[in-house]
Amino acid sequence: MASKKSTQLFYRYYAEWIGLYKVNAVREVTLDKYYLTLHWVRVLAPTLKLNQLDRRAYQKLINDFAVEHERQTTMDFHHQIKCAILDALDEGLIKQNPTRKVTIKGRNPRPKKIKYLSQSQLQSLIKQLELGTVLNWDWFILLVAKTGLRFAEALGATPQDFDFEKRLLTINKTWNYRRVDGGFQPTKNTSSVRKVELDWQTAMQFSQLIKNCPPDKPIFVNGRVFNSTINHRLAVLCKKAKVPVISIHGLRHTHASLLLFAGVSIASVARRLGHSSITTTQKTYLHIINELESQDSDKIMHEMSVLM
């Protein structure tokens, strides 16, 4: 006879699983993704019970989700549900793993937007910035372009994080802009805690801009902050500069790509960006690395050809 737990609606089991294993265990942004997955499970399979969760039922759930989502999004959806299902299997609530040999489908990906600017395009953008004697979002845009900081990392910067003598900016926290009342929170991972070197011009500029700011307060935060506000300002500036419109995160990609094209090692770029491993950097900037390797091949052949 089936236990009461095994006849529970799957979306309710999944909600309980999130509360038990994910709340206060993962970052808020990650938790939001689990709750979004829960929303879709409830919409697509509101009457599906745990003991009805066989391979056919699971494949149907994945297929239904894939109708309106790209393949990678469907893959993420699958991975987030699979963790809970495997726990249900371990608990004896289901007899077989319904996720085995699942086929991941999805809509064709949308055309990729340009994620970064060239050096000349970035210079054109910077010329459009309105950089006065008071901090504004244009100064924020410049700081991200010059450092490659993540959006929340730059928001979390306080005067005491700057060491102007050594031209270093310490990244050891972020600003939780998703919450109405904001507040500091930890960095994305332990590797994100780092010291980012500033060029002398940026260091000199910010030393004057923040000299009268409270030492432990974010220099850019004055009330609720929305990612869309800064992205809108950046879009206006990009159009004025007649360059492709990119997001604030695109400035981080721009920073990294310029360093790689300048010959900076992948290891150094990974440290500066606060990536958890060099592998992350390699995956993110594979297209640039491949282009550089092609250039290296040409250089190698040239050097070998002059040897007589």
Side-chain angles (χ1 to χ4, degrees), residues 292-308:
L292 291 172
E293 286 180 349
S294 178
Q295 293 176 11
D296 286 344
S297 178
D298 292 340
K299 291 176 183 177
I300 291 170
M301 290 303 98
H302 172 73
E303 292 301 319
M304 293 302 101
S305 67
V306 298
L307 292 177
M308 298 295 289

Side-chain angles (χ1 to χ4, degrees), residues 153-164 169-173 175 184 210 213-220:
E153 291 174 343
L155 284 179
T158 65
Q160 64 188 12
D161 295 328
F162 288 85
D163 183 339
F164 293 115
L169 173 56
T170 298
I171 306 301
N172 55 20
K173 59 191 173 303
W175 184 258
F184 292 114
I210 68 174
C213 295
D216 59 346
K217 301 295 183 183
I219 62 176
F220 289 109

Side-chain angles (χ1 to χ4, degrees), residues 27-265:
R27 284 167 54 87
E28 188 172 342
V29 63
T30 305
L31 186 62
D32 288 343
K33 291 178 182 177
Y34 278 101
Y35 280 126
L36 181 59
T37 298
L38 171 62
H39 163 77
W40 279 108
V41 170
R42 186 171 185 173
V43 168
L44 297 173
T47 62
L48 180 65
K49 297 179 180 179
L50 265 177
N51 61 359
Q52 297 172 328
L53 197 55
D54 55 19
R55 284 187 62 197
R56 290 178 64 86
Y58 186 72
Q59 185 67 65
K60 183 179 184 305
L61 174 60
I62 294 298
N63 290 351
D64 289 346
F65 182 83
V67 170
E68 296 295 334
H69 297 86
E70 293 181 13
R71 189 178 185 281
Q72 184 56 56
T73 307
T74 306
M75 180 69 78
D76 295 340
F77 177 77
H78 158 64
H79 283 310
Q80 288 202 319
I81 303 174
K82 182 179 177 180
C83 296
I85 291 175
L86 292 180
D87 280 347
L89 182 65
D90 289 343
E91 294 171 37
L93 300 177
I94 53 178
K95 295 181 179 180
Q96 294 180 326
N97 177 10
T99 70
R100 189 174 66 87
K101 294 184 178 181
V102 65
T103 300
I104 303 298
K105 304 177 183 179
R107 299 172 64 177
N108 292 328
R110 299 172 187 170
K112 297 294 183 182
K113 293 182 180 179
I114 294 175
K115 292 185 177 180
Y116 65 91
L117 302 178
S118 67
Q119 185 177 36
S120 61
Q121 289 171 335
L122 180 59
Q123 287 173 336
S124 297
L125 173 64
I126 290 174
K127 287 179 182 178
Q128 297 299 322
L129 297 177
E130 296 178 7
L131 304 174
T133 58
V134 179
L135 284 167
N136 58 14
W137 290 126
D138 286 25
W139 280 111
F140 181 89
I141 288 168
L142 181 69
L143 182 64
V144 173
K146 289 288 193 82
T147 60
L149 298 183
R150 297 179 177 94
F151 179 67
E153 291 174 343
L155 284 179
T158 65
Q160 64 188 12
D161 295 328
F162 288 85
D163 183 339
F164 293 115
E165 185 177 337
K166 296 180 180 178
R167 290 191 287 109
L168 294 174
L169 173 56
T170 298
I171 306 301
N172 55 20
K173 59 191 173 303
T174 63
W175 184 258
N176 190 350
Y177 63 93
R178 297 177 185 277
R179 289 180 54 173
V180 176
D181 55 349
F184 292 114
Q185 63 179 5
T187 54
K188 185 175 182 180
N189 50 56
T190 55
S191 301
S192 297
V193 176
R194 62 199 188 280
K195 293 182 184 296
V196 178
E197 189 173 0
L198 302 171
D199 64 273
W200 68 268
Q201 187 179 31
T202 302
M204 181 179 67
Q205 290 168 326
F206 274 83
S207 67
Q208 296 303 307
L209 287 164
I210 68 174
K211 60 184 179 182
N212 296 320
C213 295
D216 59 346
K217 301 295 183 183
I219 62 176
F220 289 109
V221 177
N222 183 21
R224 184 79 188 273
V225 178
F226 295 94
N227 183 284
S228 57
T229 302
I230 296 86
N231 279 329
H232 175 72
R233 174 58 182 165
L234 181 54
V236 170
L237 292 166
C238 286
K239 290 173 183 177
K240 281 186 177 181
K242 297 181 180 178
V243 301
V245 174
I246 62 170
S247 66
I248 195 72
H249 195 71
L251 283 180
R252 174 172 161 87
H253 288 313
T254 297
H255 183 81
S257 65
L258 293 183
L259 295 182
L260 290 169
F261 278 124
V264 177
S265 71

